[in-house]
């Protein structure tokens, strides 16, 4: 292997591929990058058994070849090199990295030791813009289950419905639903699939171009592939039956009103100052008292009070909420104002846009003591 490429391009690719490397693994091979040179590019692969990130870098390749190099060391070396062309070559079981007068020699492994990457046939094809895909991911991933107690819910459910791509995430206390219109859909037999949140967050990091740049998605029974520019991400889909989330959304409400989203976020952030210092975080008390939303908390360190105007409300309702769940829902909503719908003290709060149905957030209340 012999090639020359630009340091900044190489660093960007290495940093992204490193997010899919299995660090601290018993299998030392997966702590390595696969470097594959084939004119006119160098391919860098990071793989953790569940997700593979394949990044191509423009390169002047004078000798094709492949080698495995420790991912952490390689990325750190490239990061410390000056901003000038980088020359990479192999000598036996070593990789030579040279820039100007600086030279490193890293021990390497043979390419044959790297596991075979999963393949995805180019069927069940969906084309999205970066902007719409980024939006659909950011609107949902925060609501997915964080722990692997039930792996199905550590992912986002995608459904192809009525020429829309719908995305749903939930844990035991909240639900996020949104949708976006793809540029095109070539629908096959697979109409719904669950993508791990970890794969989606890696994908968002790959979106460094303009919003109108395209990403193409290919789905098969157990794998999904995203291709955009010089980056390919392949992830193992999650299995299991997803909750019938539509049955969890109330159809009738006792009150619906429009509220200033930023004011709610600011008030909840202030309340969290005292709440965050408690080992067992107290419930945030929200009182909808006619035209005022009162936000209060009480801890060993002190008390908090704030209020937000809601002139359209004419009922009294007292509810308790986890401040983090409330903050996440309002901060991931969009628009200066949002619509809030309520049924009863122990029924969910529903947050939607003032106009349209781009997203829906459901937050379950907690019992007040």
């Amino acid at each position: 292997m012999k090639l020359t490429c630009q340091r900044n391009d190489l660093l960007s690719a290495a940093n992204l591929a490193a997010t899919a490397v299995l660090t601290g693994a018993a299998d030392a091979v997966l702590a390595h990058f696969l470097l594959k040179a084939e004119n006119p590019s160098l391919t860098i692969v990071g793989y953790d058994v569940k997700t593979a990130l394949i990044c191509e870098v423009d390169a002047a390749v004078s000798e094709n070849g492949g080698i495995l190099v420790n991912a952490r060391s390689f990325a750190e070396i490239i990061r410390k090199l000056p901003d000038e062309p980088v020359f990479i070559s192999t000598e036996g079981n070593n990789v030579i990295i040279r820039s100007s007068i600086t030279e490193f020699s890293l021990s390497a492994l043979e390419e044959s030791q790297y596991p075979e990457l999963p393949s995805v046939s180019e069927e069940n094809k969906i084309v999205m813009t970066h902007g719409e895909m980024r939006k659909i991911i950011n609107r949902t991933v925060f609501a997915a289950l964080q722990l692997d107690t039930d792996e199905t819910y550590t992912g986002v459910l995608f459904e192809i419905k009525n020429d829309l791509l719908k995305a749903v995430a939930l844990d035991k206390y909240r639900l996020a639903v949104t949708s976006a219109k793809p540029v095109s859909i070539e629908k096959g037999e697979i109409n719904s699939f669950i993508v791990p949140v970890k794969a989606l967050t890696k994908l968002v990091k790959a979106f460094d171009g303009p919003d109108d740049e395209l990403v193409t998605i290919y789905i098969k029974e157990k794998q999904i592939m995203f291709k955009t520019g010089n980056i390919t991400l392949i992830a193992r889909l999650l299995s299991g039956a997803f909750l019938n989330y539509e049955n969890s959304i109330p159809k009738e409400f006792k009150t619906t009103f429009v509220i200033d989203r930023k004011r709610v976020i600011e008030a909840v952030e202030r309340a969290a100052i005292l709440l965050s210092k408690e080992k067992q975080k107290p419930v945030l008390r929200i009182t909808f008292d006619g035209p005022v939303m009162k936000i209060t908390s009480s801890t060993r360190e002190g008390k908090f009070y704030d209020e937000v105007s809601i002139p359209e409300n004419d009922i009294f309702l007292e509810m308790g909420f986890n401040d983090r769940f409330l903050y996440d829902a309002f901060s991931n909503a969009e628009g200066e104002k949002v619509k809030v719908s309520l049924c009863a003290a122990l029924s969910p709060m529903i947050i939607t846009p003032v106009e349209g149905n781009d997203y829906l957030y459901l937050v379950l209340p907690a019992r007040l003591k």
Side-chain angles (χ1 to χ4, degrees):
M1 174 194 295
K2 289 183 180 179
L3 62 96
T4 304
C5 57
Q6 295 301 313
R7 179 259 184 189
N8 287 345
D9 295 342
L10 187 60
L11 180 59
S12 295
N15 285 342
L16 184 59
T19 64
V21 170
L22 194 61
T23 56
D27 186 350
V29 170
L30 293 180
H32 288 65
F33 283 143
L34 166 61
L35 302 184
K36 187 85 173 176
E38 187 172 344
N39 202 45
S41 64
L42 169 68
T43 300
I44 304 177
V45 180
Y47 185 40
D48 65 2
V49 177
K50 294 183 178 180
T51 305
L53 257 170
I54 305 162
C55 306
E56 291 186 11
V57 180
D58 290 338
V61 180
S62 57
E63 185 177 305
N64 293 345
I67 199 83
L68 306 186
V69 63
N70 182 275
R72 181 179 296 178
S73 298
F74 182 83
E76 186 63 20
I77 286 170
I78 303 304
R79 189 176 298 115
K80 298 297 184 182
L81 290 178
D83 183 12
E84 55 189 44
V86 178
F87 175 77
I88 299 174
S89 63
T90 54
E91 293 181 4
N93 289 328
N94 293 292
V95 173
I96 309 301
I97 305 167
R98 189 172 71 244
S99 177
S100 184
I101 59 174
T102 302
E103 182 175 306
F104 287 89
S105 177
L106 284 179
S107 298
L109 302 176
E110 292 183 2
E111 177 188 1
S112 60
Q113 296 185 49
Y114 208 68
E116 184 178 353
L117 297 178
S119 62
V120 181
S121 57
E122 296 188 355
E123 301 172 2
N124 296 297
K125 177 179 171 183
I126 304 171
V127 179
M128 301 281 292
T129 64
H130 279 200
E132 289 299 291
M133 197 67 208
R134 185 188 295 112
K135 189 184 297 183
I136 208 172
I137 293 172
N138 290 338
R139 285 175 174 175
T140 52
V141 292
F142 72 92
L145 193 65
Q146 301 299 309
L147 302 175
D148 292 339
T149 51
D150 190 339
E151 191 180 51
T152 300
Y153 298 108
T154 61
V156 174
L157 170 69
F158 288 89
E159 298 178 311
I160 303 171
K161 285 188 174 182
N162 302 323
D163 295 326
L164 292 176
L165 184 63
K166 195 171 188 178
V168 183
L170 60 87
D171 59 16
K172 296 178 181 178
Y173 308 101
R174 50 191 173 168
L175 165 71
V177 182
T178 188
S179 61
K181 188 171 179 59
V183 174
S184 65
I185 300 177
E186 294 179 16
K187 189 168 62 173
E189 296 179 357
I190 301 174
N191 295 317
S192 67
F193 46 94
I194 305 170
V195 185
V197 163
K198 290 180 180 179
L200 293 173
T201 54
K202 290 179 177 66
L203 183 65
V204 168
K205 292 178 181 178
F207 292 160
D208 58 356
D211 281 352
D212 60 356
E213 196 167 327
L214 299 180
V215 54
T216 305
I217 308 165
Y218 302 97
I219 312 111
K220 62 184 270 187
E221 186 177 354
K222 295 183 180 180
Q223 304 284 347
I224 189 166
M225 178 168 67
F226 300 87
K227 295 187 74 171
T228 178
N230 60 354
I231 297 165
T232 300
L233 184 147
I234 303 173
R236 182 189 300 173
L237 294 173
L238 299 178
S239 59
F242 208 84
L243 177 76
N244 186 345
Y245 62 90
E246 291 180 341
N247 290 343
S248 303
I249 303 171
K251 303 299 185 290
E252 297 180 359
F253 303 99
K254 191 174 181 180
T255 183
T256 296
F257 52 82
V258 173
I259 195 166
D260 186 311
R261 187 174 70 93
K262 185 178 179 181
R263 280 286 297 118
V264 175
I265 293 171
E266 291 171 345
V268 173
E269 283 181 318
R270 293 180 190 123
I273 295 171
L274 296 181
L275 294 175
S276 63
K277 297 179 180 180
E278 298 289 305
K279 289 184 179 180
Q280 292 186 334
K281 187 180 290 188
V283 172
L284 189 63
R285 186 181 295 267
I286 307 291
T287 304
F288 301 96
D289 189 1
V292 178
M293 173 182 175
K294 300 175 181 178
I295 303 170
T296 59
S297 65
S298 179
T299 69
R300 289 174 297 177
E301 188 171 342
K303 295 181 178 181
F304 169 82
Y305 174 88
D306 203 347
E307 61 182 47
V308 182
S309 172
I310 44 172
E312 297 177 27
N313 181 55
D314 60 0
I315 68 165
F316 179 89
L317 195 60
E318 198 166 44
M319 306 176 74
F321 286 98
N322 176 293
D323 64 291
R324 186 74 229 177
F325 297 160
L326 210 57
Y327 173 83
D328 284 346
F330 279 92
S331 61
N332 284 284
E334 295 167 16
E336 183 180 338
K337 298 180 183 295
V338 294
K339 188 188 298 181
V340 174
S341 300
L342 304 169
C343 299
L346 294 178
S347 295
M349 173 188 286
I350 306 296
I351 301 164
T352 55
V354 175
E355 295 181 0
N357 56 357
D358 284 356
Y359 59 83
L360 179 148
Y361 297 132
L362 177 154
V363 184
L364 287 176
R367 291 186 179 274
L368 292 167
K369 295 181 180 179

